[in-house]
Amino acid sequence: MSEGNAGDTGRGFSRPRAVHPENMSLGSSCFSPPPVNFLQELPSYQSVARRRTNILSRDKQSSTLLKPTDSYSSQLDGGIAENLNSQSIRKYALNISEKRRLRDIQETQMKYLSEWDQWKRYSSKSWKRFLEKAREMTTHLELWRKDIRSIEGKFGTGIQSYFSFLRFLVVLNLVIFLIIFTLVLLPIILTKYKITNSTFVFIPFKDMDIQCTLYPISSSGLIYFYSYIIDLLSGTGFLEETSLFYGHYTIDGVKFQNFTYDLPLAYLVSTIAYLALSLLWIVKRSVEGFKVNLIRSEEHFQSYCNKIFAGWDFCITNRSMAELKHSSLRYELRADLEEERIRQKIAERTSEETLRIYSLRLFLNCIVLAVLAACFYAIYLATTFSQEHMKKEIDKMVFGENLLILYLPSIVITLANFITPIIFARIIHYEDYSPGFEIRLTILRCVFMRLATICVLVFTLGSKITSCGDHTCELCGYNQKLYPCWETQVGQEMYKLMIFDFIIILAVTLFVDFPRKLLVTYCASSKLIQCWGQQEFAIPDNVLGIVYGQTICWIGAFFSPLLPAIATLKFVIIFYVKELSLLYTCRPSPRQFRASNSNFFFLLVLLIGLCLAIIPLTISMSRIPSSKACGPFTNFNTTWEVIPRTVSAFPSSLQTLIHGVTSEAFAVPFFMIICLVMFYFIALAGAHKRVVVQLREQLFLESRDKRYLIQKLTEAQRDVRSQPV
C-alpha cells in the first residue's frame, strides 16, 4: 500500500465512526430503515464473520481490532491521557483539534493534583524543554555542519551520508585517542616533565636471559639526507624511539605521592576500552538504521508506490542533481522490474537449467576463491621478502630500493584491492543474479578482500615472529634475533599501511581525477575521451576505502598508540579532498543510495572491519609472548597475564566473586538465561509482526468499506433523483 493511501486510510482509522442508516439518508424520507443492520453488510464485517467460522481464537483479536464502534474516544482519553506525563503531546500522530483536546485534559488533571505532583510535572516539562534547547544548540556545534548541508542540498542524501559517516569516524578516532592519551600518555608526560611529584617505576627482570632483553636501536652515525624521509614514511630511525610506537613505553608504573599507577594494566585497559566503545557506538547507530531498513522491507507493490509517490528527495536544489535523481528513480524502477523478471524466470526454470546455472555459479565461485587465494599468497610472499631484506644496512641500498622493500607489502595489498574489484565485477555478470543482489554480492566480496588482506599481513608477521627457523624459540618464546621488539615492528607495518593508503588517495585525486576532468572539459571533440568520461563518485568504493583505513587504525592502535591521532588528521584531510573532488573533478554515480540504506550499509561494513580487527589483537595479546626488550609487559609472559596478576591483588572475597563469575558454573546458567530472554524477544517480535499484519489488513478493509459506502451513497443519490417530485 502506498504511503499516500496509508496516510489516507490512517486518517480513517484514527477516528472510525459508527454508521447508522439515518446518517446515510439524504433526507428524512430517503429510504426506510433496513430490516438488517447496515453494518453487517460492510465487507470488513463479512470478512470477520467468515473468519469466525474458521478460527474461533482469532475472532476475538480480529473483532477487537476491527470493531467499528466509538471505542476510540475512550481509548484516547484513557490510554493516551495516562501517558501524557511521560511523553509530549507533539509526539502523538494526531491532528490539531485532538492535540488541543488532550491539552485541555492535561490541564484539567493538573487541578486535582497535589502541589508536589504539580511541581514534579512542571519541573519535568522544564527539564524536557531545556534538553530540547540544548539539542538545538549542539546541532549548531556539529563538525562540518554547513559543508555537509551544502553537499546534501546539491547532491542528495545518499552522498551526504558518506560525508556524515566520515565525520563519525573523525569523532570516533578522536575519542579513541583521548582514551589512550588519558590512560597511557598523560601519566608519563606528567612524570617526564616534572609537572607532578611522581617517578617512574622499573621492576628488575626475574629469571630472564640477558639476550632476550637486548634491543639494538639503529646507530646514529653518518646519516644520508634521504634517511629522514625513509624514517618518516616507514616509522623507523628517529620515529622508532618516540612515543608513536609500543617500544617507547618500557615502564612498569608511575609512583605518585599516594598510589602507584599500574601502566601495563592501563595500557591493556585502554585497548579494551576503545574496542568496546567502538563496538557499542557502531551497534547503537546500526540499530537506528536497521529500524528504518526494517520498515522499508515491505512488499514489492508497496515499494513501487513509495518510489513513485514518496521517492523524491526534497533536499535537492541543483538542477543537474534533480535530473540525476530522476534518472536514479528510473534506474531503481528498472532494477525492480528486472528483479521481478528474474524471479519469474527462476520460477519457470526447468531442472536442467537450474542444474546448469548452479554448476556455472559453483565454477565461478571457485575462480573467485582462486583469485583471493592468489592475492593472499602474494601478500604472504611480499611480507616474507620484505621482512627478510629490511634488516640490511641503508648504505648497501639506494634510496628507491630501500623504500620499495619497506613498502612492498603495502604496494601488493593496494594492487590487490585495485585489481580484484574489476575481476569480481566481470565475473558477477555471468552468474545470472538480480541487479540488486549483484551489487550486494560484489560489495561483500570486495569488503572481504580489503579487510582480509590486513589479517593476512598480520598473521604472516605473527608466523614469522613465533618461528625461529632451524632453532627453537624456547629461550624467549619468539624470534628475538629478528624481532627484538616485535610489537613495535607490527606497529610500523600498520603505520606504513596508513601512510601509503593516504598517499594513494591523494595521488589518485590529484594525478588521475583532476587531469581526467581537464581532458573531458577541454577535449570534448575526442570521442575516446568522451567515452572515457568523467570519474564517478562511487559511494561504496569510497566507503570501503575509509573502512579499510579504520580497520588498520583499530589493529595498529595497540602497537602504535598515537595511530588514532594520525587517523583523525588523515580523515580530516580526506574530507576536504573528497569534497573538492566531488565539487570539481567527479560526477555523482547514477546508482544512488538512500540515506537510510547507506547509513546501515556503512555501519555494517564498519562492524565487519571491527570484528576482523579484534581477532588478530586477541591472538597477539593472549597467545604470542610479549617482548622482553621493550614495552610495558616485559615482566609478563603474555599481555593478558596482567589481568590475573591484578585480580590476585584484590581482597579474597572479591577474588572469589570474580572467579565465580568467570567460572563455568556461572557461564552456563547465564547463557541459558540469555537464550530465554532472546527467545522471549523473538516471540515478542513475532507477535508485533502479526499485529502489524492485522493492522494492514484492517487498513485495507477500511478502504473497502469506504468504497462500499461511497457506492451506496451514489446509489441513494441516484434513487432520489429518479423519484418523481
Side-chain angles (χ1 to χ4, degrees):
M1 182 180 297
S2 67
E3 292 183 4
N5 293 338
D8 188 20
T9 54
R11 289 191 293 270
F13 175 62
S14 63
R15 179 177 280 274
R17 298 179 176 83
V19 183
H20 301 284
E22 59 269 23
N23 294 335
M24 292 186 60
S25 62
L26 299 175
S28 59
S29 61
C30 181
F31 48 80
S32 60
V36 183
N37 189 358
F38 183 73
L39 291 178
Q40 297 179 1
E41 299 181 8
L42 292 175
S44 59
Y45 182 88
Q46 295 176 3
S47 298
V48 173
R50 285 194 299 269
R51 291 178 182 176
R52 285 175 180 170
T53 58
N54 296 329
I55 303 175
L56 183 61
S57 61
R58 192 175 176 183
D59 169 59
K60 295 181 180 180
Q61 300 175 2
S62 301
S63 61
T64 302
L65 286 172
L66 302 175
K67 188 176 180 181
T69 63
D70 57 350
S71 63
Y72 172 80
S73 299
S74 61
Q75 293 176 358
L76 184 65
D77 298 339
I80 297 181
E82 290 178 358
N83 297 326
L84 288 177
N85 301 332
S86 60
Q87 290 188 358
S88 176
I89 294 177
R90 70 177 65 179
K91 294 183 179 180
Y92 290 101
L94 302 172
N95 53 37
I96 297 298
S97 61
E98 294 293 346
K99 289 184 178 180
R100 288 174 180 170
R101 191 164 68 87
L102 286 177
R103 190 175 297 279
D104 295 338
I105 294 173
Q106 189 179 27
E107 293 177 355
T108 305
Q109 290 177 349
M110 290 285 291
K111 298 178 182 178
Y112 300 99
L113 297 176
S114 63
E115 294 183 358
W116 172 251
D117 292 333
Q118 290 182 11
W119 179 84
K120 285 196 300 183
R121 288 199 178 185
Y122 282 126
S123 60
S124 177
K125 279 186 177 181
S126 301
W127 177 248
K128 290 178 181 178
R129 196 175 295 113
F130 170 76
L131 291 179
E132 290 177 358
K133 295 294 183 182
R135 292 191 191 98
E136 291 178 3
M137 291 295 295
T138 53
T139 55
H140 295 283
L141 300 177
E142 286 182 351
L143 182 64
W144 299 317
R145 178 173 175 268
K146 184 177 179 181
D147 296 271
I148 291 178
R149 287 203 170 187
S150 175
I151 291 171
E152 181 181 9
K154 293 179 180 178
F155 302 101
T157 56
I159 295 179
Q160 173 265 339
S161 62
Y162 163 76
F163 287 94
S164 298
F165 179 66
L166 191 54
R167 177 177 60 186
F168 165 68
L169 292 184
V170 170
V171 177
L172 176 63
N173 284 294
L174 182 60
V175 173
I176 292 174
F177 168 70
L178 291 177
I179 291 174
I180 297 176
F181 178 82
T182 305
L183 295 178
V184 179
L185 281 169
L186 186 59
I188 296 176
I189 293 174
L190 294 177
T191 305
K192 183 177 181 180
Y193 295 100
K194 306 297 182 180
I195 300 174
T196 59
N197 187 16
S198 57
T199 56
F200 293 122
V201 177
F202 298 97
I203 301 175
F205 299 108
K206 295 180 181 179
D207 301 329
M208 183 66 62
D209 193 288
I210 192 65
Q211 185 179 353
C212 297
T213 61
L214 298 177
Y215 183 24
I217 304 294
S218 57
S219 61
S220 58
L222 181 62
I223 298 177
Y224 293 93
F225 72 95
Y226 57 79
S227 299
Y228 293 104
I229 300 177
I230 294 177
D231 294 342
L232 188 63
L233 293 177
S234 61
T236 56
F238 73 94
L239 279 181
E240 188 174 350
E241 304 175 19
T242 62
S243 57
L244 178 61
F245 294 107
Y246 172 93
H248 177 77
Y249 303 91
T250 311
I251 302 169
D252 296 298
V254 179
K255 185 175 181 56
F256 290 93
Q257 189 172 2
N258 299 322
F259 67 97
T260 300
Y261 189 78
D262 194 344
L263 189 67
L265 179 62
Y267 199 100
L268 180 59
V269 167
S270 66
T271 304
I272 298 174
Y274 80 73
L275 290 175
L277 173 69
S278 302
L279 179 62
L280 294 177
W281 204 343
I282 294 171
V283 168
K284 180 181 178 298
R285 293 174 66 98
S286 299
V287 168
E288 297 172 357
F290 179 72
K291 290 178 181 178
V292 179
N293 266 8
L294 192 63
I295 294 173
R296 293 187 181 277
S297 60
E298 64 259 307
E299 298 177 358
H300 300 293
F301 178 74
Q302 188 172 355
S303 175
Y304 295 145
C305 295
N306 284 338
K307 285 185 176 66
I308 294 173
F309 296 109
W312 185 252
D313 188 353
F314 288 94
C315 295
I316 295 176
T317 57
N318 186 278
R319 183 177 181 84
S320 60
M321 285 306 303
E323 295 175 354
L324 182 63
K325 184 63 179 177
H326 279 293
S327 63
S328 175
L329 288 174
R330 286 195 299 270
Y331 167 77
E332 290 182 6
L333 290 173
R334 284 198 301 267
D336 290 341
L337 293 173
E338 180 67 16
E339 290 182 2
E340 189 68 29
R341 184 190 66 81
I342 290 178
R343 277 192 292 269
Q344 185 177 1
K345 180 181 177 181
I346 292 173
E348 297 174 354
R349 275 180 187 163
T350 62
S351 58
E352 291 81 3
E353 292 176 344
T354 304
L355 181 62
R356 181 187 62 82
I357 192 64
Y358 277 103
S359 301
L360 180 61
R361 289 176 182 175
L362 179 62
F363 173 72
L364 293 176
N365 278 282
C366 291
I367 296 178
V368 170
L369 293 176
V371 171
L372 292 175
C375 292
F376 295 159
Y377 185 65
I379 295 170
Y380 171 78
L381 292 179
T383 306
T384 304
F385 182 83
S386 175
Q387 294 297 311
E388 290 176 353
H389 290 78
M390 70 184 302
K391 296 298 180 181
K392 291 183 179 180
E393 294 294 332
I394 295 177
D395 55 0
K396 294 181 181 180
M397 292 183 287
V398 297
F399 173 74
E401 181 186 358
N402 189 22
L403 201 61
L404 179 64
I405 290 177
L406 288 173
Y407 270 89
L408 187 60
S410 302
I411 294 172
V412 174
I413 289 174
T414 303
L415 289 175
N417 292 335
F418 176 75
I419 295 173
T420 50
I422 300 175
I423 299 175
F424 294 158
R426 295 288 184 183
I427 290 176
I428 197 71
H429 291 307
Y430 299 99
E431 296 186 80
D432 198 14
Y433 290 119
S434 62
F437 188 77
E438 282 185 4
I439 296 174
R440 290 191 292 270
L441 183 59
T442 304
I443 291 175
L444 183 62
R445 287 170 175 172
C446 294
V447 167
F448 179 76
M449 176 62 203
R450 276 183 175 267
L451 302 183
T453 51
I454 307 174
C455 295
V456 170
L457 173 64
V458 174
F459 284 117
T460 303
L461 291 173
S463 65
K464 293 296 178 182
I465 292 167
T466 55
S467 64
C468 300
D470 298 333
H471 307 284
T472 59
C473 299
E474 295 179 356
L475 184 62
C476 304
Y478 59 94
N479 193 339
Q480 197 275 339
K481 184 178 180 180
L482 292 178
Y483 304 97
C485 185
W486 65 265
E487 291 93 345
T488 294
Q489 287 167 293
V490 174
Q492 289 171 348
E493 291 297 328
M494 296 296 105
Y495 174 81
K496 286 186 287 187
L497 282 176
M498 179 79 71
I499 297 299
F500 192 73
D501 180 59
F502 179 61
I503 292 173
I504 289 298
I505 291 175
L506 292 181
V508 169
T509 303
L510 295 176
F511 302 113
V512 177
D513 294 344
F514 184 67
R516 184 173 176 178
K517 169 68 175 179
L518 293 178
L519 290 174
V520 172
T521 304
Y522 297 102
C523 300
S525 58
S526 175
K527 292 184 178 180
L528 180 61
I529 294 177
Q530 291 301 318
C531 292
W532 188 25
Q534 196 174 342
Q535 176 66 32
E536 288 185 1
F537 191 87
I539 297 176
D541 295 340
N542 285 281
V543 168
L544 293 182
I546 60 176
V547 169
Y548 168 77
Q550 183 60 41
T551 307
I552 295 172
C553 177
W554 277 323
I555 297 176
F558 176 77
F559 308 103
S560 177
L562 294 184
L563 202 61
I566 298 175
T568 303
L569 181 62
K570 169 190 169 183
F571 286 140
V572 168
I573 298 175
I574 286 177
F575 181 91
Y576 290 108
V577 169
K578 291 297 182 182
E579 183 182 12
L580 293 175
S581 175
L582 175 65
L583 294 175
Y584 300 108
T585 63
C586 294
R587 60 184 176 89
S589 174
R591 295 184 177 184
Q592 291 191 344
F593 279 54
R594 282 186 179 269
S596 57
N597 296 342
S598 302
N599 291 328
F600 179 68
F601 165 73
F602 299 163
L603 293 168
L604 180 62
V605 174
L606 191 63
L607 188 61
I608 295 173
L610 178 60
C611 294
L612 290 178
I614 291 174
I615 295 173
L617 281 176
T618 304
I619 295 175
S620 63
M621 289 189 294
S622 60
R623 304 290 296 176
I624 303 178
S626 57
S627 296
K628 304 303 183 289
C630 68
F633 302 100
T634 54
N635 289 297
F636 300 94
N637 186 30
T638 60
T639 303
W640 188 255
E641 276 192 4
V642 69
I643 299 295
R645 193 207 65 173
T646 304
V647 173
S648 64
F650 290 164
S652 58
S653 58
L654 187 57
Q655 289 186 42
T656 304
L657 177 62
I658 293 175
H659 289 309
V661 170
T662 56
S663 63
E664 294 84 355
F666 177 82
V668 174
F670 180 75
F671 178 74
M672 294 178 65
I673 293 173
I674 291 296
C675 291
L676 291 176
V677 172
M678 183 181 65
F679 290 147
Y680 166 75
F681 280 107
I682 290 175
L684 188 63
H688 289 167
K689 186 175 182 180
R690 288 191 295 271
V691 171
V692 169
V693 171
Q694 290 177 359
L695 290 175
R696 285 183 176 179
E697 290 178 357
Q698 180 173 350
L699 291 175
F700 176 70
L701 291 174
E702 285 198 1
S703 64
R704 290 177 57 191
D705 289 347
K706 288 180 180 180
R707 294 176 59 187
Y708 179 77
L709 293 175
I710 291 173
Q711 182 181 359
K712 288 295 182 181
L713 286 173
T714 305
E715 292 177 359
Q717 288 178 347
R718 191 182 301 113
D719 294 341
V720 169
R721 293 192 188 97
S722 63
Q723 289 179 0
V725 180

